[in-house]
Amino acid sequence: MVGNVVVGQSGGPTSVINSSLAGVYKTAKDLGAPRVYGMRHGIQGFLERNLVDLDDKLRSEMDIELLKRTPSAYLGSCRFKLPEYDANPEMYDKIFALLEELEIAAFFYIGGNDSMDTINKLSKHADRIGSPIRFIGVPKTIDNDLDVTDHTPGFGSAAKYIASVSKELIRDGLVYDQKQITIIEIMGRNAGWLTAAAALAKCEDCEGVDLLYLPELPFDIDKFLDKVERLFLTKKALVVAVSEGIKTADGKYVFEHGVHTEYVDSFGHKQLSGTATYLANLCGQRFGCKARAVELATLQRCAGHLTSRVDITEAYQVGGTAVSAAFAGETGKMVILKRVSSDPYICTTDLYDVDKIANVEKKVPLEWITEDGTYVSQELINYIRPLIQAELSPIMITGQPRHIVVDIDRI
Amino acid sequence: MVGNVVVGQSGGPTSVINSSLAGVYKTAKDLGAPRVYGMRHGIQGFLERNLVDLDDKLRSEMDIELLKRTPSAYLGSCRFKLPEYDANPEMYDKIFALLEELEIAAFFYIGGNDSMDTINKLSKHADRIGSPIRFIGVPKTIDNDLDVTDHTPGFGSAAKYIASVSKELIRDGLVYDQKQITIIEIMGRNAGWLTAAAALAKCEDCEGVDLLYLPELPFDIDKFLDKVERLFLTKKALVVAVSEGIKTADGKYVFEHGVHTEYVDSFGHKQLSGTATYLANLCGQRFGCKARAVELATLQRCAGHLTSRVDITEAYQVGGTAVSAAFAGETGKMVILKRVSSDPYICTTDLYDVDKIANVEKKVPLEWITEDGTYVSQELINYIRPLIQAELSPIMITGQPRHIVVDIDRI
């Protein structure tokens, strides 16, 4: 059942989330969708009728190419958890009234856990009221923490960025003939997939990071210092990768042990920064060495200048699969990636019930972390390696990556 | 006078310092130098006879290409200020004895201010003792703070990196439909050239950063907050670029106004980090908005994955010019870049007395900063723009930039 389509992006941006949008748009048009609407700032914008007609915006094949290579959500994003139907039936009525008015046949939401929850709730409501509108989730998150799917689009590019800059930081650390330690802080509140990607820096021309700490295991500050002390016996320049979310056994974030004021952002989230700074200062004081903290920060999710072609291609494919599936009658599903083999790397797409995926957080299996909790297994490295392969260069204009923009946001 | 050559790298690394090394090596070999020695960790390693024969290390044209694309000092670096002759004549005797033993005709030092000071002192000593050995300085610093030369190799790539990632961070900031501020902290203790490069993010597809603060002018925290408040009246997502070295009128670094413990590294340098964190927290508290700090940190000087081809080419050229000049009889000089025109960009190399360059720090002229001290002039943008043009892609192997290594440093 081909018809009008509406698509939104939600949650934290990635370098390749727009490639999924391109996949949805292009496939919908190729399959004959009369109109493809984009929600500005996800479901929150949709509720305010903040929509664009993508035909007006994407006018050429060049626009599609630019879109694929533009980091950060082109349509804008939101962090909005749809209330349960019983808590706010009016909101559901409003959404479905607008969907009907726009004659929408299929609704696509590109995002992570919260976004899959939205797809789950809306598809259930469609079922409840007998609406024929299809709802399909398109996976996206650098965190790689969605269940069932082999991995999530966005992760491969973030992993490539992390592996590559870790390698550069390791080289930089070797420059001086002196004792020094670099602590790299990597995103991931609860899941250590991104931090694990720093292990890929190790190759023929690079010794790799010396220690890796994931949030899946409690972090022991004393054991860490002992470990560093032992490493300094045989090596001058150390590089340690830590997840921003590591906690000590008492449940306190490591950075909370520092002297920083506790800072809660306007959403009440604790600001997770300062883990690397805290540990670097600690090492500097303890070992009397040069100690540097490098927080990869937001660049991990928006470094469109260094993306994985495998990732950008898969991001496009999951968008396309979502549209074909919806037009073939599927609803209440998320597109998943199914790895057929790692070497050679073969991966296909499939569909899975979104209610079995939404709100489940996939962490790094403990058997993929070494026993002493300071590195990851070869299995984990082999799992990530294919996802960072090959590049899709940005289109460079006057020395900088060119992006496509909807418009500049103003109040 | 063609003969054996010795070359060293000193000071902070850059993405293209090895391209200058490649220029020195290749030109020396092309002009017939029998041996080209590399000092490990600069003059400090030289004093310990820590040398490599570069013919053993650079065995093919591919090695030269890899060297040009490998960030961070291939030979290792040092931060070592040569004492005055009178303070330590033995050190000079030791250096010249080793130079004579190795039958060195020319000595090249790739670096910034301190390195030029070394060239100055050694060439004066050669003059004093009637040694025929030539000493030529090859400019290098991301900070662009060397005098006389139009700009320094290393600056263009750092500027390209800063401009490009600023653009990506600006896009990322636009994603949510909410008030938020991002503070980007950029290197530069006393000179604002690198921070100014963030102004290049502004182009057709990007509004650019909203405010830019250079260390050349005192920073007024209240005026900054007023400025942000006014900007928030018409715009939701703000991005501000600040130099790590900005100080308030009382001479205190801005980050010292924060709650961080003061941390001095093992060299007694104050650790300049936390300026962005301090200002972001301040804005978050004052305006109740999401506030992020992004420190570009070490990545500015080692992001070999995003270099300027203009810069990498010029870095090679200054290395080559140094060698031809030395073999033609010059000494006590630094190679400078002379801009013939900006549009089209034409730049040549020349030589200049190193004693007029060493120890002079070139800051951004105040007339290139806007009157209210919150942005830079079009002249400054036009000055930087040509230096970030074109790319030299890294050689990518299994998804990551490949580097060339001497060996892995061990104690």
Side-chain angles (χ1 to χ4, degrees), chain A residues 1-224:
Chain A
M1 191 192 63
V2 174
N4 292 342
V5 153
V6 66
V7 54
Q9 297 172 308
S10 172
T14 79
S15 299
V16 306
I17 183 170
N18 292 326
S19 184
S20 290
L21 177 61
V24 167
Y25 175 76
K26 193 68 169 49
T27 310
K29 295 310 288 184
D30 287 352
L31 294 180
R35 309 286 290 265
V36 180
Y37 296 101
M39 317 171 200
R40 300 283 283 124
H41 304 292
I43 191 77
Q44 209 167 13
F46 184 79
L47 279 161
E48 292 160 12
R49 230 193 158 87
N50 191 353
L51 295 163
V52 291
D53 184 334
L54 285 171
D55 286 331
D56 291 347
K57 304 288 178 185
L58 305 173
R59 297 200 185 142
S60 65
E61 290 294 329
M62 184 49 147
D63 284 347
I64 303 274
E65 275 310 308
L66 267 177
L67 184 61
K68 283 165 71 175
R69 294 159 203 244
T70 296
S72 186
Y74 170 78
L75 291 171
S77 185
C78 67
R79 291 203 183 275
F80 183 77
K81 186 114 179 170
L82 200 65
E84 295 294 338
Y85 174 73
D86 293 339
N88 193 341
E90 301 76 18
M91 189 177 280
Y92 284 76
D93 293 346
K94 195 173 170 187
I95 292 170
F96 277 78
L98 184 51
L99 289 172
E100 276 156 34
E101 182 195 325
L102 298 170
E103 297 174 13
I104 298 297
F107 176 111
F108 303 100
Y109 215 36
I110 308 168
N113 262 316
D114 287 351
S115 314
M116 295 312 132
D117 181 71
T118 299
I119 287 292
N120 194 26
K121 284 171 176 159
L122 292 177
S123 65
K124 288 214 161 68
H125 187 66
D127 206 34
R128 193 179 293 129
I129 62 172
S131 161
I133 304 171
R134 314 283 153 88
F135 295 85
I136 302 280
V138 181
K140 170 272 349 168
T141 166
I142 60 166
D143 291 324
N144 198 38
D145 61 353
L146 283 178
D147 203 18
V148 185
T149 186
D150 177 76
H151 57 279
T152 56
F155 172 64
S157 293
K160 185 189 188 90
Y161 178 80
I162 290 163
S164 299
V165 303
S166 293
K167 204 174 156 183
E168 291 174 339
L169 290 167
I170 292 163
R171 278 207 70 73
D172 187 275
L174 290 172
V175 148
Y176 297 113
D177 188 26
Q178 67 182 33
K179 209 162 147 180
Q180 87 161 44
I181 187 162
T182 302
I183 317 276
I184 308 177
E185 181 171 328
I186 297 171
M187 279 184 171
R189 234 160 245 240
N190 304 312
W193 298 106
L194 288 172
T195 305
L200 278 76
K202 187 172 181 173
C203 36
E204 270 173 61
D205 57 338
C206 181
E207 275 211 336
V209 299
D210 299 288
L211 300 166
L212 267 173
Y213 291 100
L214 277 52
E216 277 79 1
L217 288 177
F219 182 81
D220 186 314
I221 295 177
D222 290 329
K223 277 193 186 156
F224 161 72

Side-chain angles (χ1 to χ4, degrees), chain A residues 11-13 41 70-74 76-79 160-161 163-165 167-169 171-172 174-178 200-201 203-205 207 232-236 259-261 263 265-267 271 280-281 284-285 288-299 301-306 385 388-391 396 398-405 408-411, chain B residues 11-13 41 70-74 76-79 160-161 163-165 167-169 171-172 174-178 200-201 203-205 207 232-236 259-261 263 265-267 271 280-281 284-285 288-299 301-306 385 388-391 396 398-405 408-411:
Chain A
H41 304 292
T70 296
S72 186
Y74 170 78
S77 185
C78 67
R79 291 203 183 275
K160 185 189 188 90
Y161 178 80
S164 299
V165 303
K167 204 174 156 183
E168 291 174 339
L169 290 167
R171 278 207 70 73
D172 187 275
L174 290 172
V175 148
Y176 297 113
D177 188 26
Q178 67 182 33
L200 278 76
C203 36
E204 270 173 61
D205 57 338
E207 275 211 336
F232 268 142
L233 295 176
T234 55
K235 216 179 158 189
K236 279 185 182 167
V259 294
H260 300 67
T261 44
Y263 176 62
D265 74 14
S266 51
F267 301 93
Q271 287 295 293
N281 285 351
Q285 283 150 17
C289 65
K290 195 173 167 72
R292 304 185 303 181
V294 181
E295 281 179 40
L296 299 188
T298 322
L299 287 170
R301 71 180 196 196
C302 67
H305 70 271
L306 184 62
R385 177 94 55 202
I388 70 162
Q389 295 308 306
E391 294 72 49
M396 301 294 287
T398 62
Q400 281 172 276
R402 176 55 51 121
H403 301 150
I404 186 168
V405 283
I408 303 295
D409 263 13
R410 293 209 169 268
I411 290 170
Chain B
H41 305 293
T70 295
S72 188
Y74 170 78
S77 184
C78 68
R79 290 200 184 278
K160 185 188 187 91
Y161 178 79
S164 298
V165 303
K167 204 174 156 181
E168 291 174 340
L169 290 168
R171 279 207 69 75
D172 187 276
L174 290 171
V175 148
Y176 297 114
D177 189 26
Q178 67 183 31
L200 278 76
C203 37
E204 271 174 60
D205 57 336
E207 274 211 337
F232 268 143
L233 295 175
T234 55
K235 216 177 158 190
K236 279 185 183 167
V259 292
H260 299 67
T261 44
Y263 175 60
D265 73 16
S266 49
F267 302 92
Q271 285 296 292
N281 284 352
Q285 283 149 16
C289 65
K290 193 173 167 72
R292 303 186 301 183
V294 181
E295 280 179 42
L296 299 187
T298 322
L299 287 170
R301 71 178 194 195
C302 67
H305 69 271
L306 184 61
R385 178 94 54 203
I388 70 163
Q389 295 308 306
E391 294 73 49
M396 302 294 287
T398 63
Q400 281 172 277
R402 177 54 53 120
H403 301 151
I404 186 168
V405 281
I408 301 296
D409 263 13
R410 292 209 170 269
I411 289 171

Side-chain angles (χ1 to χ4, degrees), chain B residues 37 65 111 114 123 193 215 243 258 278 284 287-288 292 327 369 387:
Chain B
Y37 296 102
E65 275 311 307
D114 287 350
S123 65
W193 299 106
S243 159
Y278 171 67
F287 304 111
R292 303 186 301 183
F327 287 173
I369 305 175
L387 312 181

Side-chain angles (χ1 to χ4, degrees), chain B residues 322-349:
Chain B
V323 176
S324 346
F327 287 173
E330 298 279 359
T331 188
K333 300 279 164 69
M334 183 184 91
V335 179
I336 60 165
L337 289 162
K338 278 178 82 167
R339 188 184 304 224
V340 178
S341 100
S342 274
D343 189 15
Y345 178 66
I346 303 170
C347 192
T348 62
T349 57

